[in-house]
């Protein structure tokens, strides 16, 4: 069975994979997705169980990042398995799943940009960090992330609803973005919006982290730790920025090797969408000493270690001076 799709202004015939190939690809997809979802689910459970974590803006932003990864990987695994089972999917269902995945996908780099700004404020303006980076302001920032992501994709949805016939939404298609948003102008808008977001996020990254590096170099203590944290955050953001180049690289390779459409889409999706989300909790969450200790206590010690750590950090934040509060926050880093 084959199906024609358009990529980079070329019509490409997509042939269905053989049964062994389909089984291997589905096994890789399901195993990787479930592994990341389990790790991220453990982090969310740990976050919800301890007020010390849920009252910290840095951890709130991180858990928002983790939750988006769960949504994106769940949709990716679902669409991948269904595509290999039925090859073509209902257009309306495919459109809904694609929009949800795109929203979650776009949220990651924007959330990391806000995390960079939070880290910048914490290091460069420590006396004002408590007033600026409050829990309420953090949730406002998360809401702003969703607004920006929605403004990127929802206009495309409205155009499709206004221009496509009713039969189109009842038809079956090979479930990729270009098959849903077929208007060439929408593709141009997508590329332009991705470039604009790419530039904005990188400018935020460069501004925040160069200031952090300079502040870390001038510090008398923990300078090496601060520099390592900055480099890891930058590496994590660089991985998530692959989101913005996925479509261009995928379509470019398809134009060069049209006979390998399904293989190219599978490999680029694993490399650019899944693997960065596997590294994300390892780079930030499990590397964080406090978060790691709470995760261990949740999994193995039934809260024993958490009970020992909670009063120490909570009392410092509630009754301590600003300097003691900052010192308590540094325990988590």
């Amino acid at each position: 069975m084959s199906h024609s799709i358009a990529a980079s202004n070329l019509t490409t015939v997509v042939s269905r994979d053989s049964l062994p190939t389909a089984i291997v690809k589905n096994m890789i997809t399901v195993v990787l997705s479930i592994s990341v979802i389990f790790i991220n689910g453990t982090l969310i459970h740990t976050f919800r169980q301890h007020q010390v974590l849920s009252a910290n803006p840095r951890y709130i932003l991180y858990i928002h990042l983790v939750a988006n990864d769960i949504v994106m990987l769940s949709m990716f695994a679902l669409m991948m398995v269904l595509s290999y089972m039925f090859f073509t999917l209902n257009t309306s269902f495919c459109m809904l799943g694609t929009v949800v995945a795109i929203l979650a996908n776009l949220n990651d780099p924007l959330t990391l940009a806000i995390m960079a700004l939070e880290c910048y404020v914490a290091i460069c303006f420590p006396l004002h960090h408590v007033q600026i980076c409050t829990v309420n302001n953090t949730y406002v920032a998360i809401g702003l992330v969703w607004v920006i992501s929605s403004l990127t994709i929802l206009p495309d949805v409205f155009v499709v609803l206004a221009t496509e016939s009713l039969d189109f939404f009842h038809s079956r298609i090979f479930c990729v973005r270009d098959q849903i948003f077929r208007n060439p102008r929408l593709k141009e808008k997508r590329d332009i919006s991705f470039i604009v977001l790419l530039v904005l996020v990188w400018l935020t990254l460069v501004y925040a982290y160069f200031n952090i590096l300079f502040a870390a170099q001038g510090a008398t203590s923990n300078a090496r730790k601060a520099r390592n944290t900055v480099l890891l955050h930058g590496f994590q953001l660089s991985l998530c920025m692959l989101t913005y180049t996925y479509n261009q690289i995928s379509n470019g390779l398809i134009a060069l090797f049209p006979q390998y459409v399904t293989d190219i889409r599978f490999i680029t999706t694993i490399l650019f969408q899944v693997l960065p989300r596997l590294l994300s909790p390892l780079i930030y969450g499990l590397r964080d000493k406090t978060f790691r200790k709470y995760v261990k206590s949740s999994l193995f010690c039934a809260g024993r270690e958490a009970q020992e750590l909670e009063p120490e950090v909570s009392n410092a934040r509630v009754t301590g001076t600003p300097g003691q509060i900052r010192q308590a926050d540094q325990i988590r880093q």
Side-chain angles (χ1 to χ4, degrees):
M1 180 182 293
S2 63
H3 188 75
S4 296
I5 68 172
S8 300
N9 298 324
L10 296 175
T11 300
T12 304
V13 177
V14 182
S15 300
R16 194 165 191 172
D17 287 328
S18 62
L19 181 60
T21 302
I23 293 175
V24 170
K25 288 183 178 180
N26 276 280
M27 286 291 293
I28 294 174
T29 299
V30 172
V31 170
L32 285 177
S33 298
I34 290 178
S35 300
V36 178
I37 290 172
F38 173 77
I39 295 173
N40 288 352
T42 302
L43 296 176
I44 292 177
H45 173 73
T46 302
F47 172 82
R48 295 184 61 186
Q49 291 296 313
H50 304 289
Q51 186 177 2
V52 169
L53 302 178
S54 60
N56 187 309
R58 189 171 303 173
Y59 291 133
I60 293 173
L61 290 170
Y62 175 65
I63 290 302
H64 177 253
L65 188 75
V66 167
N68 275 283
D69 288 347
I70 290 179
V71 172
M72 187 270 166
L73 287 175
S74 298
M75 297 307 302
F76 164 70
L78 176 63
M79 293 298 181
M80 178 69 72
V81 173
L82 290 178
S83 293
Y84 277 104
M85 290 176 61
F86 305 108
F87 195 62
T88 59
L89 301 177
N90 175 267
T91 301
S92 299
F93 176 77
C94 177
M95 181 176 178
L96 177 62
T98 301
V99 169
V100 172
I102 290 173
L103 283 172
N105 218 5
L106 291 174
N107 283 345
D108 274 8
L110 294 173
T111 301
L112 282 170
I114 295 178
M115 292 174 71
L117 292 177
E118 187 276 334
C119 192
Y120 162 73
V121 173
I123 292 179
C124 298
F125 303 98
L127 297 179
H128 301 286
H129 180 260
V130 177
Q131 290 78 23
I132 297 175
C133 300
T134 64
V135 173
N136 289 336
N137 288 344
T138 302
Y139 285 116
V140 170
I142 290 175
L144 182 61
V145 167
W146 278 93
V147 169
I148 295 174
S149 297
S150 299
L151 291 176
T152 302
I153 184 61
L154 289 186
D156 296 11
V157 175
F158 296 145
V159 170
V160 171
L161 293 175
T163 58
E164 297 289 354
S165 65
L166 188 61
D167 292 338
F168 172 74
F169 297 100
H170 293 290
S171 63
R172 300 180 68 87
I173 61 172
F174 186 72
C175 191
V176 293
R177 177 171 177 164
D178 288 345
Q179 287 288 283
I180 303 170
F181 305 104
R182 301 184 295 182
N183 191 316
R185 293 185 178 180
L186 291 182
K187 297 177 183 180
E188 294 176 3
K189 171 190 166 295
R190 177 196 65 193
D191 294 339
I192 294 174
S193 62
F194 279 1
I195 292 173
V196 171
L197 288 175
L198 178 68
V199 172
L200 290 177
V201 173
W202 271 114
L203 286 176
T204 303
L205 171 72
V206 171
Y207 175 80
Y209 283 116
F210 268 101
N211 280 279
I212 291 172
L213 284 175
F214 294 146
Q217 290 175 353
T220 57
S221 62
N222 294 327
R224 179 177 298 178
K225 184 177 180 180
R227 287 194 294 268
N228 291 340
T229 300
V230 168
L231 292 176
L232 286 174
H233 282 210
F235 176 67
Q236 185 186 11
L237 185 56
S238 298
L239 288 176
C240 286
M241 292 306 296
L242 293 175
T243 297
Y244 292 133
T245 61
Y246 166 75
N247 286 302
Q248 287 75 9
I249 293 178
S250 179
N251 289 338
L253 290 174
I254 289 173
L256 293 175
F257 308 101
Q259 67 273 27
Y260 301 113
V261 175
T262 56
D263 293 333
I264 290 173
R265 290 200 178 278
F266 175 76
I267 293 173
T268 54
T269 301
I270 292 295
L271 292 178
F272 295 162
Q273 308 284 14
V274 178
L275 290 183
R277 287 162 176 80
L278 177 62
L279 296 175
S280 179
L282 302 177
I283 290 174
Y284 190 89
L286 298 183
R287 176 182 174 271
D288 184 280
K289 292 182 179 179
T290 299
F291 218 127
R292 184 170 66 247
K293 188 169 185 177
Y294 278 115
V295 170
K296 289 181 179 178
S297 70
S298 297
L299 292 177
F300 306 113
C301 302
R304 181 179 177 183
E305 293 183 6
Q307 292 174 1
E308 296 175 355
L309 184 62
E310 188 91 31
E312 177 183 348
V313 182
S314 296
N315 290 337
R317 291 194 57 83
V318 173
T319 63
T321 64
Q324 291 172 330
I325 292 175
R326 291 194 302 274
Q327 184 177 5
D329 287 335
Q330 290 175 355
I331 296 175
R332 304 187 184 95
Q333 300 175 357

